[in-house]
Amino acid sequence: MRRGRLNRNSIPFLLLTIIHLIIFSQLLKRKREYTWTLLLSNIGFAFFFEYFVLNLFQAYTYKPSILKIKYLDNILGAILSQAFYVPITATFLTIYKKNWRWKVSFITYFYIVEKLFLRLGIYKTNWWNPKFTTVLMLIYFYISDYFYKLIEKRKYWALILAQYFTIVVIDVTFMYTMAVRGKLKFGVGLVRTWKEHFIIAPLYSLLLSFFSTFSSSKRGIIYRLYHLLYFLVVDYLLIKVRFVKINYSAFLQFIPWHLFVIYVSRLVYKEIFSNSKERT
């Protein structure tokens, strides 16, 4: 099967993308406070779930047949599902304050889609069961509702978590793009597999995002320099112990990227904590 263009496998993913772009357009119309914060937080929740279920324990396999490398193609399918379709739906239900009937309707919709994808052979379960999807998705939808209430109430720990998830989503997206472009590959030993990469690379993003979250609250250029130095030291140590394979030009691209993350993390902090009430 030819990849990188419309084909039997990619068309169903494209149709789902169009459907959820329409739902996303309704979110843009609503213009409620913290909509973007909730959306990125929901994507962050989904990333954590996917890291354990897919990256570590290989619960299922996606086959959108868009990328040539099968494992990268599998991860792309997961990104479309967990970073686009499901979080957009959860955010829509929360922002529009939809009741349990709407939640059950969308869960039924995703259950039917999952069954259809299995029948089409563009999605394969290893130990996963579609019944797990229905239960966990219901919990996920209510977590979205609850987390949004915490953000609206300006609960400090919820705002910090929302900031952290936002930075994680930005960094993980960049890391995946670099992997697809063949610029870097994490692993141990001479032979590095993509499975190894997608176990180690998210941990790298989680670590850097953790530091970004807490350093972004500090004012002054000196803290921005400390921030950059921390990133470069981590990069140097990983390259030194050969945990990452990266070419020189890609390494140079990391410097402006780190600067961008430093800038964005400070921007996200100001946006989330602007006009904040007393910490609770």
Short mmCIF file of all heavy atoms in Angstrom, two decimals, residues 2 37 61 103 136 144 174 180 187 203-204 220 223 263:
data_model
loop_
_atom_site.label_atom_id
_atom_site.label_comp_id
_atom_site.label_asym_id
_atom_site.label_seq_id
_atom_site.Cartn_x
_atom_site.Cartn_y
_atom_site.Cartn_z
N ARG A 2 0.52 2.20 -0.86
CA ARG A 2 1.30 3.42 -0.96
C ARG A 2 0.95 4.36 0.17
O ARG A 2 -0.19 4.53 0.55
CB ARG A 2 1.05 4.09 -2.30
CG ARG A 2 1.37 3.19 -3.49
CD ARG A 2 1.29 3.93 -4.79
NE ARG A 2 2.41 4.83 -4.93
CZ ARG A 2 2.64 5.54 -6.03
NH1 ARG A 2 1.82 5.46 -7.05
NH2 ARG A 2 3.68 6.33 -6.09
N THR A 37 -6.79 26.61 27.44
CA THR A 37 -6.12 25.98 28.58
C THR A 37 -6.69 24.59 28.83
O THR A 37 -5.95 23.62 29.05
CB THR A 37 -6.28 26.84 29.85
OG1 THR A 37 -5.73 28.13 29.61
CG2 THR A 37 -5.59 26.19 31.04
N THR A 61 -2.58 -1.08 17.88
CA THR A 61 -1.76 -0.55 16.78
C THR A 61 -2.66 0.18 15.79
O THR A 61 -3.71 -0.35 15.38
CB THR A 61 -1.03 -1.69 16.04
OG1 THR A 61 -0.24 -2.43 16.97
CG2 THR A 61 -0.13 -1.14 14.94
N LYS A 103 -22.72 12.88 26.60
CA LYS A 103 -21.51 12.09 26.86
C LYS A 103 -21.69 10.65 26.38
O LYS A 103 -20.81 10.09 25.70
CB LYS A 103 -21.15 12.14 28.35
CG LYS A 103 -20.65 13.50 28.83
CD LYS A 103 -20.37 13.48 30.32
CE LYS A 103 -19.68 14.76 30.79
NZ LYS A 103 -20.49 15.97 30.61
N LEU A 136 -13.42 4.16 30.25
CA LEU A 136 -12.38 5.17 30.47
C LEU A 136 -12.75 6.52 29.84
O LEU A 136 -12.41 7.57 30.38
CB LEU A 136 -11.04 4.68 29.91
CG LEU A 136 -10.43 3.50 30.68
CD1 LEU A 136 -9.18 2.99 29.97
CD2 LEU A 136 -10.08 3.90 32.11
N SER A 144 -12.57 16.08 32.63
CA SER A 144 -12.52 17.36 31.91
C SER A 144 -13.44 18.38 32.57
O SER A 144 -13.05 19.54 32.78
CB SER A 144 -12.93 17.14 30.45
OG SER A 144 -13.00 18.37 29.74
N PHE A 174 6.93 18.83 19.07
CA PHE A 174 8.20 19.14 18.40
C PHE A 174 9.08 17.90 18.31
O PHE A 174 9.67 17.62 17.26
CB PHE A 174 8.94 20.24 19.16
CG PHE A 174 10.33 20.49 18.67
CD1 PHE A 174 10.56 21.17 17.48
CD2 PHE A 174 11.43 20.03 19.38
CE1 PHE A 174 11.84 21.40 17.02
CE2 PHE A 174 12.72 20.25 18.93
CZ PHE A 174 12.93 20.93 17.75
N VAL A 180 10.16 12.25 12.97
CA VAL A 180 9.64 11.99 11.62
C VAL A 180 10.61 12.48 10.56
O VAL A 180 10.81 11.85 9.52
CB VAL A 180 8.25 12.63 11.43
CG1 VAL A 180 7.83 12.58 9.97
CG2 VAL A 180 7.22 11.93 12.32
N GLY A 187 17.64 6.11 22.40
CA GLY A 187 17.79 4.67 22.54
C GLY A 187 19.04 4.32 23.31
O GLY A 187 19.82 5.19 23.71
N LEU A 203 9.86 10.99 28.16
CA LEU A 203 10.45 11.27 29.48
C LEU A 203 11.33 12.51 29.42
O LEU A 203 11.36 13.32 30.36
CB LEU A 203 11.25 10.06 29.97
CG LEU A 203 10.46 8.78 30.21
CD1 LEU A 203 11.40 7.66 30.65
CD2 LEU A 203 9.36 8.99 31.24
N TYR A 204 12.04 12.66 28.31
CA TYR A 204 12.87 13.85 28.08
C TYR A 204 11.99 15.10 28.09
O TYR A 204 12.29 16.11 28.75
CB TYR A 204 13.61 13.69 26.75
CG TYR A 204 14.32 14.92 26.25
CD1 TYR A 204 15.60 15.24 26.69
CD2 TYR A 204 13.72 15.76 25.30
CE1 TYR A 204 16.27 16.36 26.20
CE2 TYR A 204 14.38 16.88 24.81
CZ TYR A 204 15.65 17.17 25.27
OH TYR A 204 16.30 18.29 24.79
N GLY A 220 13.09 38.16 35.05
CA GLY A 220 14.46 38.58 34.80
C GLY A 220 15.20 37.71 33.80
O GLY A 220 14.95 36.50 33.68
N TYR A 223 17.17 34.36 34.87
CA TYR A 223 16.46 33.08 34.99
C TYR A 223 16.22 32.46 33.61
O TYR A 223 16.16 31.24 33.48
CB TYR A 223 15.15 33.27 35.73
CG TYR A 223 15.35 33.53 37.20
CD1 TYR A 223 15.23 34.82 37.72
CD2 TYR A 223 15.68 32.49 38.07
CE1 TYR A 223 15.43 35.06 39.08
CE2 TYR A 223 15.88 32.73 39.42
CZ TYR A 223 15.76 34.02 39.92
OH TYR A 223 15.97 34.24 41.26
N TYR A 263 10.50 31.10 25.96
CA TYR A 263 9.61 32.23 25.72
C TYR A 263 8.15 31.83 25.92
O TYR A 263 7.38 32.52 26.61
CB TYR A 263 9.83 32.76 24.30
CG TYR A 263 8.80 33.76 23.85
CD1 TYR A 263 8.81 35.08 24.33
CD2 TYR A 263 7.79 33.39 22.95
CE1 TYR A 263 7.85 35.99 23.92
CE2 TYR A 263 6.83 34.30 22.54
CZ TYR A 263 6.86 35.60 23.03
OH TYR A 263 5.91 36.51 22.63
#
